[in-house]
Amino acid sequence: MRKAANDIDRCVACGVCALQCPREAIDIYKGCYAVVDVAKCVGCGICEKACPAGSIRVTDDGVGR
């Protein structure tokens, strides 16, 4: 099943992905980077398209880097 994953080295913690997620599956951890709750994520890709830093990717296994 496809899931979103975040590359925390590229993430700028802007929160755009969290705001765009229709399942509320993304939170910004301590103002540092986005964390995806894979239990809530349905792999729709909205967050990937919205991310200005290109740190969110939807992958087959939900694993970032």
Side-chain angles (χ1 to χ4, degrees):
M1 177 175 252
R2 295 181 56 81
K3 301 286 181 172
N6 185 34
D7 180 346
I8 63 173
D9 292 331
R10 294 182 69 174
C11 184
V12 296
C14 66
V16 172
C17 58
L19 291 172
Q20 294 295 313
C21 180
R23 304 281 298 196
E24 297 180 354
I26 304 173
D27 288 310
I28 303 301
Y29 178 75
K30 295 186 178 182
C32 296
Y33 53 84
V35 177
V36 179
D37 181 342
V38 294
K40 292 181 180 179
C41 179
V42 295
C44 67
I46 293 172
C47 58
E48 181 177 28
K49 291 174 186 163
C51 179
S55 68
I56 301 272
R57 295 280 183 248
V58 176
T59 63
D60 287 332
D61 56 6
V63 177
R65 49 166 219 100

